[in-house]
Amino acid sequence: MDDNEHKESPLLIGVREVAHLLGAGESTVRKWSSGHLPPPAGFPPFLKLGARVVVRRRDLEAWVASLGIPPQADLQRPRRGRPRKQWPSTGP
């Protein structure tokens, strides 16, 4: 990684960003950080900075890479709700 990448992405990321990157609920990640729910095996440790709970970005990215799946933020999420009605095409 070069210096430009460090300037654009923070070294520490909060619970909301972790949830977004993993495609998990923010409340689930908060439960992991508080110990009310055990995090997945090998998940990087949470750090407490004052009132803020963070994770080292490089540790999280290394953990995701070790799983062999792309982060959820890079995937197209399916639409929620009822599927739209497909109208027949009225082409020539």
Side-chain angles (χ1 to χ4, degrees), residues 17-91:
E17 294 86 5
V18 171
H20 178 74
L21 286 172
L22 297 179
E26 189 176 334
S27 62
T28 300
V29 177
R30 286 196 190 284
K31 289 176 186 174
W32 293 346
S33 70
S34 66
H36 290 289
L37 188 67
F43 194 82
F46 289 95
L47 308 169
K48 188 145 171 114
L49 297 175
R52 188 166 183 225
V53 177
V54 295
V55 174
R56 285 187 188 99
R57 177 180 282 277
R58 69 170 183 234
D59 293 347
L60 182 66
E61 289 172 348
W63 179 74
V64 170
S66 74
L67 298 175
I69 56 173
Q72 292 293 315
D74 296 341
L75 300 177
Q76 178 68 30
R77 292 185 181 211
R79 285 181 44 97
R80 293 180 64 188
R82 212 166 113 184
R84 292 184 178 184
K85 186 173 182 177
Q86 297 294 321
W87 296 95
S89 63
T90 58

